[in-house]
């Protein structure tokens, strides 16, 4: 998808009440966004899909809702005060600031693109007889680009693991990375920058406490793990799920709601016996990818990306990436966090956080597998994958419709009820239908403009079903139901609406796929 299409997505989100720039009447606030009347419905549906898939499908997973403000020592213990940094570099001419690691990743992506272009060119040239593996192993240009890419990759991984900021700058200089704004290579040194926002609690007179806005919801789970285990009589293995806001002072905050300074996470920490982490890591990888794929988008839009550099707390980590308009990007992280967090909290709070395992007759600090997904990234991936512009109509009257082919379970409005005309008792009949269905489905009434225009409006917001009331309805209680994706229409009894729509918008079918 091109930049143009991405721009269209952003303006579509604004035009139809999905996402607005925050504080817009004051010219906005960098990388902060508000969700509008339809955006909040889509977001809530995403959260419900995640929450129910965790706590309904797994009897050993329960939820909590912990405070955003937490004792500041938590962030010392978790390593965020000392190590939650991004390596920054400034271009002296444009005065623009970049993440050094992002510049290097983009550099590697350029080599990937070059390789891909060579392969595509050869595929076109050789047609059916093309053998990609042989081509990649023998083509000189591909081999050179692969070698360069690997060289950068190896230096990059080593520099990250050694926290070697001088080497990060050296890579940028050696490969002549230029600032996209000034076009120059006039770089500062690379420095570390802590991403946590801080504020003060209490008045300064009595010695205010410096506290942080949480950069992840996970720590709220760790510090409550024993409360939940004891009060819920939970036995290992068990999980604790939480949805909530997180805050990061991101340097490179671009790409709309992909990277924001205030965002929302859906995280689940799964507490397990030490030594069983690889088995559970694989199990959760499998469950989580099924959760994504159950939504029905093509499989090729998803891939796993194993981390080159493990976070300070992890002994295995992978991302689930989705093909966004700007390439494959992380939507969810799955991490084997070992006993790092609980052990650190034991050290810093001076209390035992161990679990007594009755089967083993011994106490231990549990290991943890974490699944962590950003609500906003999930939202963006759904909008991007659903947005279509389609040519419709016949030769003499061609038209383009913009349609959001959202999975019906996530659509903000499930059903639009449209009286053909604003008279003859049709509006009243439409209201009667809504009154019967509104307890179950989010319904919208619309009587303005021609029926064609009303269909287009519903297509643009992703409403899977439109129901039209006409003169025949008043005679025999039948309506026309129109399906968003196929635009097919059929006549059905009003009494069948509930079951037809209910079957399509129920999360049950998706949950079955996850549990298969
Ligand atoms: N507790 C682990 C953790 O926070 P992470 O990979 O830093 O791990 C998890 O974040 C998820 O949160 C990411 O996969 C992404 O979906 C989302 N996320 C992280 N930073 C974000 C940001 N600035 N804006 C939007 N979403 C973000």
């Amino acid at each position: 998808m091109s930049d143009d299409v991405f721009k269209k997505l952003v303006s579509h989100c604004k035009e139809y009440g999905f996402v607005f720039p925050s504080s817009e009447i004051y010219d906005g606030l960098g990388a902060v966004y508000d969700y509008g009347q339809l955006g909040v419905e889509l977001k809530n549906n995403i959260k419900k899909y995640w929450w129910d898939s965790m706590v309904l499908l797994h009897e050993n997973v329960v939820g909590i809702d912990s405070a955003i403000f937490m004792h500041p020592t938590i962030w010392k213990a978790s390593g965020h005060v000392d190590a939650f940094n991004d390596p920054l570099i400034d271009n002296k001419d444009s005065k623009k600031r970049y993440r050094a690691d992002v510049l290097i990743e983009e550099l590697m992506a350029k080599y990937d693109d070059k390789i891909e272009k060579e392969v595509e060119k050869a595929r076109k040239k050789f047609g059916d007889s093309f053998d990609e593996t042989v081509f990649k192993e023998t083509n000189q240009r591909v081999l050179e680009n692969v070698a360069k890419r690997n060289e950068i990759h190896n230096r990059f991984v080593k520099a990250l693991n050694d926290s070697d900021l001088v080497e990060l700058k050296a890579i940028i200089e050696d490969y002549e990375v230029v600032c996209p704004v000034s076009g120059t290579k006039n770089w500062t040194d690379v420095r570390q920058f802590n991403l946590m926002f801080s504020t003060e609690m209490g008045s300064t007179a009595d010695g205010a406490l410096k506290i942080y806005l949480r950069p992840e919801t996970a720590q709220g789970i760790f510090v409550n793990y024993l409360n939940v285990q004891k009060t819920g009589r939970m036995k290992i293995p068990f999980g604790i799920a939480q949805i909530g806001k997180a805050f990061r002072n991101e340097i490179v905050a671009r790409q709309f709601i992909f990277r924001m300074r205030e965002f929302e996470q859906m995280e689940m920490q799964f507490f397990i016996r030490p030594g069983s982490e690889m088995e559970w890591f694989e199990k959760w990888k499998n469950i989580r990818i099924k959760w994504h794929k159950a939504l029905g988008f093509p499989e090729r839009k998803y891939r796993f990306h194993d981390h080159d550099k493990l976070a300070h707390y992890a002994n295995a980590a992978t991302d689930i990436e989705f093909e966004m308009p700007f390439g494959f990007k992380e939507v969810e992280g799955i991490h084997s966090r070992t006993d790092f967090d609980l052990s650190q909290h034991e050290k810093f709070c001076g209390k035992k956080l161990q679990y007594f395992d009755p089967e083993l007759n011994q106490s231990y600090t549990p290991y943890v597998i974490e699944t962590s997904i950003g609500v906003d990234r999930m939202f963006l991936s759904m909008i991007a994958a659903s947005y279509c512009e389609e040519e419709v109509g016949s030769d003499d009257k061609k038209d383009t419709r913009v349609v959001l082919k959202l999975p019906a379970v996530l659509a903000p409005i499930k059903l639009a009820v449209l009286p053909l005309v604003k008279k003859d008792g049709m509006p009243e009949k439409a209201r009667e239908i809504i009154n019967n269905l509104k307890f179950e489905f989010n319904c919208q009434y619309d009587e303005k403009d021609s029926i064609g225009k009303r269909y287009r409006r519903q297509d643009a917001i992703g409403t899977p079903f439109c129901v039209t009331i006409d003169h025949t309805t008043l005679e025999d209680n039948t309506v026309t139901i129109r399906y968003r994706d196929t635009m097919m229409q059929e006549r059905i009894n009003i009494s069948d609406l509930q079951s037809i729509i209910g079957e399509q918008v129920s999360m049950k079918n998706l949950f079955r796929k996850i549990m298969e």
Side-chain angles (χ1 to χ4, degrees):
M1 205 185 266
S2 67
D3 270 5
D4 278 357
V5 180
F6 186 51
K7 278 190 196 137
K8 275 190 200 169
L9 278 188
V10 177
S11 57
H12 189 85
C13 279
K14 183 164 174 228
E15 188 183 342
Y16 287 94
F18 283 91
V19 183
F20 307 124
S22 165
S23 324
E24 198 186 4
I25 57 170
Y26 291 94
D27 297 331
L29 181 67
V32 186
Y33 289 90
D34 297 338
Y35 285 83
Q37 68 280 9
L38 292 181
V40 71
E41 296 292 341
L42 171 56
K43 204 176 178 212
N44 284 343
N45 292 340
I46 290 172
K47 290 196 271 187
K48 183 166 169 51
Y49 177 43
W50 183 87
W51 186 266
D52 287 355
S53 78
M54 285 292 172
V55 303
L56 294 188
L57 300 195
H58 305 279
E59 61 180 271
N60 57 350
V61 177
V62 292
I64 63 163
D65 184 16
S66 70
I68 289 173
F69 291 157
M70 296 198 280
H71 195 285
T73 312
I74 287 173
W75 304 111
K76 192 79 193 143
S78 67
H80 284 82
V81 171
D82 297 321
F84 194 53
N85 300 318
D86 273 347
L88 285 193
I89 190 163
D90 291 13
N91 182 271
K92 291 182 196 163
D93 298 317
S94 67
K95 310 275 182 254
K96 288 276 173 204
R97 182 162 287 176
Y98 300 93
R99 272 175 57 177
D101 55 335
V102 171
L103 286 181
I104 298 171
E105 275 166 6
E106 285 172 357
L107 173 69
M108 291 193 290
K110 276 191 190 145
Y111 282 99
D112 289 337
D113 278 354
K114 281 185 191 173
I115 298 164
E116 206 38 51
K117 275 196 185 126
E118 291 293 341
V119 172
E120 277 314 306
K121 227 164 56 187
R123 195 191 307 282
K124 276 197 190 125
K125 190 168 159 196
F126 296 114
D128 287 346
S129 63
F130 180 63
D131 183 330
E132 185 172 331
T133 319
V134 174
F135 178 76
K136 279 183 164 170
E137 282 168 4
T138 52
N139 180 275
Q140 201 48 37
R141 272 193 299 270
V142 170
L143 289 174
E144 279 166 21
N145 284 322
V146 169
K148 275 216 180 110
R149 199 237 181 244
N150 288 347
E151 188 183 291
I152 302 169
H153 181 254
N154 294 342
R155 283 179 68 180
F156 180 51
V157 173
K158 186 165 182 332
L160 288 181
N161 282 327
D162 299 346
S163 299
D164 186 345
L165 303 183
V166 176
E167 173 66 356
L168 285 180
K169 183 176 181 190
I171 299 172
I172 289 170
E173 286 182 334
D174 292 352
Y175 287 91
E176 307 196 329
V177 175
V178 296
C179 165
V181 178
S182 67
T184 71
K185 294 173 264 179
N186 196 7
W187 297 109
T188 62
D189 287 341
V190 177
R191 313 173 301 295
Q192 294 287 23
F193 176 84
N194 194 286
L195 297 184
M196 281 196 295
F197 284 102
S198 64
T199 185
E200 288 181 348
M201 186 179 265
S203 74
T204 8
D206 37 295
L209 192 61
K210 179 177 178 180
I211 54 168
Y212 297 98
L213 297 189
R214 64 181 180 199
E216 62 172 12
T217 59
Q219 297 303 323
I221 296 179
F222 289 122
V223 298
N224 276 299
Y225 123 88
L226 261 195
N227 282 338
V228 173
Q229 190 272 317
K230 292 209 164 110
T231 57
R233 293 179 292 116
M234 309 299 289
K235 287 203 175 68
I236 273 181
F238 73 92
I240 304 179
Q242 165 156 242
I243 299 180
K245 288 274 181 147
F247 305 84
R248 296 182 190 178
N249 198 1
E250 298 282 0
I251 320 309
V252 185
R254 275 184 304 193
Q255 291 157 332
F256 192 36
I257 54 172
F258 181 78
R259 197 177 298 286
M260 298 199 287
R261 299 201 164 103
E262 173 181 339
F263 58 100
E264 208 164 356
Q265 289 185 317
M266 307 189 279
E267 298 200 296
M268 195 277 304
Q269 313 293 324
F270 198 69
F271 299 88
I272 53 173
R273 277 186 194 160
S276 65
E277 65 267 27
M278 285 311 147
E279 179 197 330
W280 281 111
F281 180 66
E282 289 306 320
K283 276 192 187 157
W284 278 106
K285 260 176 83 171
N286 190 28
I287 295 171
R288 293 305 304 147
I289 195 77
K290 280 185 171 175
W291 182 88
H292 287 274
K293 290 185 177 171
L295 287 165
F297 291 107
E299 301 242 330
R300 65 180 153 75
K301 288 200 163 281
Y302 300 89
R303 72 180 187 196
F304 283 113
H305 168 77
D306 295 333
H307 286 202
D308 285 332
K309 185 198 176 204
L310 292 174
H312 57 275
Y313 49 73
N315 71 355
T318 195
D319 294 336
I320 294 177
E321 293 187 339
F322 188 80
E323 193 178 21
M324 298 280 189
F326 36 86
F328 273 94
K329 295 285 167 199
E330 171 190 348
V331 171
E332 170 157 6
I334 300 162
H335 310 119
S336 168
R337 288 182 81 126
T338 67
D339 61 351
F340 174 83
D341 301 88
L342 291 181
S343 301
Q344 284 293 102
H345 288 308
E346 282 189 319
K347 243 188 262 166
F348 277 77
C349 74
K351 297 180 185 95
K352 279 226 169 309
L353 298 178
Q354 293 207 327
Y355 168 80
F356 176 74
D357 192 324
E359 282 171 34
L360 299 180
N361 198 25
Q362 83 183 56
S363 295
Y364 53 80
T365 308
Y367 270 42
V368 171
I369 302 297
E370 166 184 79
T371 72
S372 172
I373 168 170
V375 180
D376 314 273
R377 284 193 192 175
M378 186 63 197
F379 184 109
L380 180 58
S381 65
M382 291 298 97
I383 293 275
S386 304
Y387 182 91
C388 304
E389 291 176 10
E390 286 180 352
E391 272 211 354
V392 288
S394 50
D395 279 350
D396 51 334
K397 203 166 173 262
K398 274 218 165 87
D399 189 12
T400 307
R401 73 161 184 156
V402 173
V403 51
L404 278 188
K405 294 188 174 175
L406 286 168
V409 288
L410 300 184
I413 308 289
K414 306 298 189 210
L415 165 72
V417 184
L418 319 170
L420 191 61
V421 287
K422 278 189 255 180
K423 54 182 188 184
D424 299 341
M426 287 183 217
E428 290 76 12
K429 192 72 189 168
R431 294 277 180 211
E432 189 187 308
I433 292 175
I434 289 181
N435 283 337
N436 278 332
L437 295 178
K438 71 180 176 192
F439 304 109
E440 263 182 272
F441 314 124
N442 202 337
C443 306
Q444 197 172 76
Y445 175 83
D446 191 3
E447 59 174 24
K448 193 168 175 292
D449 299 324
S450 71
I451 199 76
K453 277 194 181 157
R454 283 181 267 169
Y455 283 155
R456 290 285 178 275
R457 273 203 295 270
Q458 295 300 329
D459 287 344
I461 62 172
T463 306
F465 305 101
C466 287
V467 160
T468 307
I469 318 299
D470 55 19
H471 287 102
T472 317
T473 310
L474 306 176
E475 286 161 18
D476 66 1
N477 269 332
T478 63
V479 286
T480 307
I481 185 166
R482 172 192 182 265
Y483 301 98
R484 177 195 67 197
D485 296 353
T486 56
M487 293 189 287
M488 202 193 86
Q489 301 187 14
E490 59 179 333
R491 194 106 207 153
I492 60 162
N493 280 316
I494 290 176
S495 56
D496 290 335
L497 276 173
Q498 188 166 16
S499 63
I500 291 176
I501 297 168
E503 177 58 24
Q504 294 295 313
V505 303
S506 160
M507 289 189 182
K508 249 189 299 189
N509 300 329
L510 274 59
F511 292 149
R512 285 204 186 97
K513 281 192 203 163
I514 301 172
M515 298 312 277
E516 266 167 18

